[in-house]
Amino acid sequence: MIAVGRKYVFDFDSTLTRVEALDVLAEMTLQGRSNREEIINEIQKITNLGIDGDISFTESLEKRIKLLKAHKNDLEGLVTELKQKISKSIEHNKEFFQNFSDDIYVISCGFKEFIDPIVEEYNIPSDRVYANTFKFDGEGNIVGFDEKNVLASHNGKIECLKRLDLDGEVQVIGDGYSDYVMREAGIADKFFAYTENVHREKAANNADHVAPNLDEFLFVNDLPRKISYPKNRIKILLLENVHPAAFDNLSEDGFSVELVQHSLSEEELIKKIKGVHVLGIRSKTQVTQKVLEAANKLLVVGAFCIGTTQIDLESCKQKGVVVFNAPYSNTRSVVELAIGQIIMLMRHVFPRSTEIHSGRWNKTATNSREVRGKNLGVIGYGNIGKQLSVLAEAIGMRVYYYDVEDRLALGNAIKCATLEDLLSVSDVVTLHVDDNKANKNFIGNREIGQMKDGAMLINLSRGFVVDIEALVSALKSGKLSGAAVDVYPEEPRSNGDFITQLQGLSNVILTPHVGGSTEEAQRNIADFVPNKIMDYINSGNTVDAVNFPNIRLPKQSNAHRFLHIHKNVPGIMAKINEVLAKYEMNISGQYLSTDSEVGYVITDLDKEYNKEVVKALKKVENTIKFRVLY
């Protein structure tokens, strides 16, 4: 319940705004000064000393104003600048300030000249803003401040709040020493350390509660807010040395993110997964049914790679856990490696390199051929296969392709009706098939026997699609004149020793599953997958989900959004709408998508809702997951 008579006292700088206003004013007024950076750094240093209570506020203010050399006319520009720097969560919870303005006060050691016009837009009148005021000389230069103002003195906020003598529970929301001393002095009941813009250890250590954003403050106080559950309470676990940009992207959006450099075993993950809302992995971590049973809060799994065989997709679906991957982000990287390997194999570069590394000079053209005019057989004509087809044709190769699905040819590529047709005509065969278990030993003795004598094989897809013993036999007998392998039937969980029968064979390029491992690809994945995760958590979008019905949703500003995942059985929508009708909810939009097993319905409502409606929707028969988004 919302406490009757509760009062909320907000700081201004670094709380309502993302910045310290005098620092911004300094940057504006010192333009063109040769020592501008030096002075700004000094002002920021003085600001921090005052905020942390290491020097008196009066001293801090005097020193900064002397360094500023500002004019009255600069204040209009400062206000314009500050309006662009309102704290993000403050801005999207503007309705709170408008609806509770009678209970909101601003007590700041800043200045009314720039605070009043900012907070006025949040329905906070000037008579509930307590701050310092500037002194101007006859020419309008800022020369000081009103020293009689209680807020100009050290611990002035304490005296200011005492004089206000507010009824009811008083809560202070701020980021510095001058804020938490009000609670220490016994005139405020609670202090919330506001850390959205700056995290000050002294303030956090002396807080009743740390609020990384206004959503958290409103959630703790059970006050109306833009989103139902603060993002800082959503825990994200990223494993396997996912690119740090993923950590940055998710952290900047407000989530609590933990980064682990390595993969976890099933047992380790079962212990770690409790309380985690989002799990990010690459190819080594196995998300099994046992892991999912232990995952009491899991909403999303993000695979920072193409393949998803390491994830029990069916169990995820049954648990209402949405899975996203990165099907396109490393396409170019894989294609470039394939092109490089084709050229290296055709030119027999690696045998020549090995010879010269061991001190042998063997200048010869034997078995060294151009790729121009040769036939490339592409097995699997998806994103990678198609792009490889285009680049291979650009360097003069004739491209043939085979795919179990009907795929339109790009450029002059020729579609083969059967796998045998492709194998029999290709000088180089490159594999780009998916991770379907039915593809195990897709290339074995029979298929290799159908290839041209002296042909070459490249596998950048999945380790299990090639029978390694059959490949080794063909290379040793001379049936195949070369191979490039990047993936293996069994791969270690971490870097270290590795053994394969392919080691030591001439004209065989072996790489440790690095087809998509370029800085560019990892960065692309670190942008793509987090965006999908954030889109689902923030709005309910499931576009590009691997295991879930896809829904693209419009953003809503003045509505509540309910997300309901259920078993796909008849009558669920009717039951959901019966509940909404019972509680007289007005539906402004409703979106449903289903597959053979689950249904996903999003309902937008344009009025306040009774908390009982949530309980009733959760109790609808065959419900898997229910979430109030905002």
Side-chain angles (χ1 to χ4, degrees), residues 6-10 16 93-107 119 122-125 127-130 166 171 173 214 217-218 223:
R6 189 184 285 164
K7 299 295 187 290
Y8 309 103
V9 176
F10 281 85
L16 292 178
N93 282 295
K94 194 171 186 178
E95 198 172 330
F96 161 71
F97 289 91
Q98 292 170 336
N99 293 341
F100 288 80
S101 64
D102 288 347
D103 302 317
I104 295 172
Y105 295 78
V106 175
I107 298 181
V119 301
Y122 284 74
N123 207 26
I124 302 172
D127 63 6
R128 280 201 294 280
V129 175
Y130 296 86
L166 299 175
Q171 297 189 357
I173 306 96
L214 191 65
F217 167 76
L218 298 175
L223 290 163

Side-chain angles (χ1 to χ4, degrees), residues 471-488:
L471 176 58
V472 170
S473 177
L475 288 163
K476 286 181 176 179
S477 70
K479 170 64 179 176
L480 298 183
S481 65
V485 177
D486 185 53
V487 287
Y488 307 86

Side-chain angles (χ1 to χ4, degrees), residues 139-152:
E139 296 177 357
N141 296 305
I142 296 174
V143 292
F145 52 91
D146 180 5
E147 294 169 11
K148 294 178 182 177
N149 188 325
V150 66
L151 288 162

Side-chain angles (χ1 to χ4, degrees), residues 263-326:
S263 62
L264 298 179
S265 66
E266 182 182 64
E267 186 179 342
E268 290 170 326
L269 189 52
I270 286 170
K271 291 178 182 176
K272 191 83 172 170
I273 199 74
K274 189 175 181 181
V276 170
H277 299 86
V278 178
L279 176 65
I281 62 170
R282 293 175 74 182
S283 57
K284 290 185 173 64
T285 301
Q286 302 295 309
V287 183
T288 63
Q289 187 173 352
K290 285 184 179 179
V291 168
L292 291 164
E293 286 169 359
N296 60 329
K297 291 190 177 180
L298 195 63
L299 301 172
V300 188
V301 175
F304 286 72
C305 52
I306 296 176
T308 54
T309 50
Q310 72 278 35
I311 303 167
D312 187 334
L313 296 176
E314 191 57 34
S315 291
C316 281
K317 183 189 287 188
Q318 297 302 328
K319 289 274 189 181
V321 176
V322 182
V323 177
F324 295 102
N325 68 339

Side-chain angles (χ1 to χ4, degrees), residues 15 22 42 45 88 109 132 170 207 352 400 450 505 517 527 537 573 588:
T15 299
L22 291 187
E42 181 62 21
K45 180 182 173 183
K88 289 180 181 178
C109 295
N132 283 294
V170 176
R352 299 293 83 81
Y400 297 81
Q450 293 169 348
L505 297 177
S517 297
D527 288 334
I537 296 292
M573 280 298 293
S588 58

Side-chain angles (χ1 to χ4, degrees), residues 117 192 270 410 513 589:
F192 287 78
I270 286 170
L410 297 183
H513 203 150

Side-chain angles (χ1 to χ4, degrees), residues 488-534:
Y488 307 86
E490 293 182 5
E491 297 178 2
R493 285 180 56 230
S494 58
N495 290 342
D497 295 336
F498 178 65
I499 297 174
T500 173
Q501 297 173 63
L502 292 162
Q503 287 164 339
L505 297 177
S506 178
N507 205 28
V508 174
I509 303 171
L510 302 178
T511 48
H513 203 150
V514 293
S517 297
T518 60
E519 291 179 4
E520 292 86 351
Q522 295 308 304
R523 179 57 199 251
N524 289 340
I525 291 170
D527 288 334
F528 183 86
V529 177
N531 283 338
K532 292 296 171 185
I533 291 169
M534 289 186 287

